[in-house]
Amino acid sequence: MSNRRRALVIGGSLGGLFAAHWLRTIGWDVAVFERVDDDLASRGAGIGTHEELLAGLRRLGLPADESIGIQVRQRICLDRNGRRVRQLDLPQFMSAWARIYRLLKDGFPAAGYRFGAGLERIEQDASGVTAVFADGSRERGDLLVGADGIRSTVRGLLAPEAQPRYAGYVAWRGMADEWDFPPEVHAELFEQYTFCLPEGEMMLSYPVPGRDNDTRPGRRGYNFIWYRPTEELEELPLLCTDAAGHCHGQAIPPPLIRPEVIAKFRSDAQALLAPQIAGIVIRIAQPFFQAIFDLESPNLAWGRVALLGDAAFVARPHVGMGVTKAALDAECLARAIRDSGDDLGAALARYDRERRQFGSRIVARARRLGAYIEAQRKPLAARTDHERQPPPETLMREIGSMAVNLKEIAG
Ligand SMILES: Cc1cc2nc3c(=O)[nH]c(=O)nc-3n(C[C@H](O)[C@H](O)[C@H](O)COP(=O)(O)OP(=O)(O)OC[C@H]3O[C@@H](n4cnc5c(N)ncnc54)[C@H](O)[C@@H]3O)c2cc1C
């Protein structure tokens, strides 16, 4: 029998896969348990990347070459009439959730990854930790990593008081196909990172890999995210109510969004966004929205259990760092374990210290960047300086910017 130490990773999305890869590099036997029944590759949308993410993938020996995304060189801001009012040189790779998932999932042994395994309970003692799943099966390991996202079961068992906090706005999202672009709009916009900034709102759009993660010209995708203030107790439940009158809580599967909600979204796009962007956004067949939350866990480690990725900290997406943070969390966890020999307690204490500080910083920063959207329902005079809409150049420089460029994050 092998005496390799064994990690049980709960959650087989990007955070869980990064943890699985990093723990294997330090010689651990790793098993991943994902609640969903089959491949997750159809999930998600476009994401901005950071050099730290690409460098981390390369350190794992994964091929993070330019096919991982599309480089944008410039950020531009369009006004309501479609005029370019600002521009800024700021190169960045834009990728897609599914593209990074594919890279990580295909590079991990299929035998170590189980779909349809929803964790329900954890038991731990001095010699190990046991995960108990919904089907009654049990798995024993030396370490359990909770990489099970913002509604983490693992965190719910250990720190039930840590709950996601609604930010006061939703992000409408969607992806257009490159081939649907009128030629003049394509030439003007397609390879730019574009901002439209209606009063109290924020819309970003940029090119991303297309269907099947294709990055060849003509086959790419174009992603938009539009942050819109949405009141929590009446407006959000109404948005999340389907045509049969059933309210799905604070999220609704995209196909169930009522046609009148989509129609209102399209007419608002025409009224508020630059016409070139509105023309693209309104043609997307299935736009969808996600309520924006942030979350801070009081601890990242309890005995033989560690939290990672969105299960630990969720910053609003304005920092564009969710995937990068999950990757850095995973690498830090593996390094702390490697450096501490047999002392898992010391390793997890170090992990907790280092990643809690980083997580708190990015949550705070993302809150500041989104504060003006959150504050829309306050009278102007009652808003603090942070709650006033920053000038376009500040947003263009700071949204999704590299961590190394942000003093308070880089430390
Ligand atoms: C609007 C928006 C825009 C964003 N833009 C960006 C961006 O530009 N750049 C970026 O880096 N990030 C971005 N993000 C954030 C990014 O998507 C997340 O941070 C990242 O996907 C987190 O990965 P994770 O693996 O920690 O969690 P998740 O992806 O949530 O995965 C958790 C997994 O755990 C599984 N699971 C849950 N419970 C259980 C259980 N009990 N047992 C077993 N499995 C379970 C789930 O099925 C899921 O697969 C954005 C997010 C939003 C909402």
Side-chain angles (χ1 to χ4, degrees):
M1 217 167 101
S2 158
N3 58 2
R4 281 167 81 201
R5 292 204 282 176
R6 183 168 197 238
L8 312 174
V9 175
I10 309 301
S13 170
L14 301 186
L17 283 167
F18 271 114
H21 277 273
W22 276 111
L23 288 167
R24 265 168 59 89
T25 67
I26 60 163
W28 281 56
D29 176 26
V30 184
V32 179
F33 301 92
E34 166 55 49
R35 180 163 60 191
V36 168
D37 285 334
D38 54 27
D39 207 63
L40 309 178
S42 60
R43 257 190 207 185
I47 56 164
T49 70
H50 296 251
E51 181 45 39
E52 293 94 325
L53 172 65
L54 305 181
L57 287 165
R58 286 184 215 112
R59 283 195 293 280
L60 280 173
L62 295 169
D65 54 26
E66 55 294 350
S67 74
I68 200 152
I70 294 157
Q71 183 161 53
V72 293
R73 298 186 188 283
Q74 247 188 1
R75 295 180 170 201
I76 61 172
C77 182
L78 301 178
D79 71 9
R80 165 69 201 91
N81 299 313
R83 278 190 307 255
R84 184 183 293 210
V85 287
R86 303 275 189 298
Q87 70 181 50
L88 175 73
D89 292 332
L90 215 163
Q92 187 171 9
F93 263 104
M94 313 314 287
S95 187
W97 187 95
R99 174 71 175 86
I100 296 176
Y101 172 76
R102 243 343 359 122
L103 198 61
L104 290 165
K105 175 75 172 57
D106 293 351
F108 190 76
Y113 189 109
R114 198 172 116 200
F115 286 108
L119 177 90
E120 281 202 344
R121 234 176 44 244
I122 300 169
E123 294 163 8
Q124 52 174 329
D125 54 46
S127 68
V129 55
T130 301
V132 183
F133 296 92
D135 62 1
S137 61
R138 302 166 73 86
E139 293 280 345
R140 183 88 173 151
D142 300 282
L143 166 73
L144 182 144
V145 179
D148 50 348
I150 187 167
R151 308 273 169 198
S152 167
T153 306
V154 177
R155 191 189 65 243
L157 293 167
L158 296 162
E161 73 283 10
Q163 292 292 333
R165 198 190 102 186
Y166 178 55
Y169 47 98
V170 304
W172 276 91
R173 307 180 77 176
M175 201 163 102
D177 293 310
E178 183 174 10
W179 58 75
D180 267 350
F181 268 61
E184 64 290 356
V185 179
H186 186 276
E188 182 198 351
L189 283 184
F190 188 81
E191 291 188 355
Q192 316 275 10
Y193 188 134
T194 300
F195 287 73
C196 294
L197 298 170
E199 179 68 30
E201 310 198 4
M202 185 195 309
M203 201 274 341
L204 323 166
S205 54
Y206 45 78
V208 291
R211 294 166 201 263
D212 299 324
N213 296 320
D214 209 327
T215 51
R216 287 173 294 175
R219 295 162 179 262
R220 298 169 290 185
Y222 191 77
N223 185 65
F224 84 89
I225 308 184
W226 184 7
Y227 299 100
R228 312 204 67 196
T230 304
E231 186 276 326
E232 182 174 15
L233 299 178
E234 287 177 16
E235 246 185 294
L236 182 59
L238 200 58
L239 279 187
C240 297
T241 298
D242 64 24
H246 172 64
C247 176
H248 294 254
Q250 293 181 313
I252 179 168
L256 298 185
I257 302 174
R258 280 174 292 128
E260 56 270 34
V261 171
I262 305 269
K264 166 87 166 62
F265 160 79
R266 290 191 174 126
S267 66
D268 286 354
Q270 281 171 312
L272 296 171
L273 303 179
Q276 310 90 304
I277 294 286
I280 294 158
V281 160
I282 63 169
R283 283 210 299 273
I284 294 174
Q286 180 67 83
F288 63 99
F289 61 86
Q290 286 172 280
I292 300 300
F293 294 89
D294 47 34
L295 168 94
E296 292 184 86
S297 180
N299 287 310
L300 301 192
W302 294 262
R304 294 175 173 276
V305 177
L307 290 182
L308 167 156
D310 277 11
F313 281 90
V314 177
R316 301 179 190 182
H318 314 305
V319 285
M321 278 217 73
V323 177
T324 305
K325 185 181 76 65
L328 296 174
D329 286 352
E331 185 170 358
C332 175
L333 178 65
R335 291 227 163 113
I337 293 173
R338 183 199 60 195
D339 294 349
S340 65
D342 275 340
D343 191 347
L344 188 63
L348 294 193
R350 175 176 142 193
Y351 169 72
D352 177 88
R353 207 170 44 246
E354 290 182 9
R355 298 315 290 169
R356 198 141 44 88
Q357 190 182 54
F358 183 85
S360 302
R361 282 178 178 161
I362 66 164
V363 169
R365 175 166 194 89
R367 273 188 190 144
R368 271 203 299 286
L369 288 171
Y372 79 91
I373 314 173
E374 184 176 2
Q376 283 314 297
R377 294 189 188 266
K378 281 192 185 174
L380 256 184
R383 295 184 201 168
T384 64
D385 284 349
H386 280 317
E387 291 171 340
R388 293 175 206 276
Q389 185 152 342
E393 37 293 309
T394 305
L395 293 172
M396 290 170 71
R397 202 177 47 247
E398 298 201 359
I399 294 298
S401 186
M402 305 285 171
V404 287
N405 297 337
L406 304 173
K407 246 194 348 236
E408 72 224 68
I409 292 179

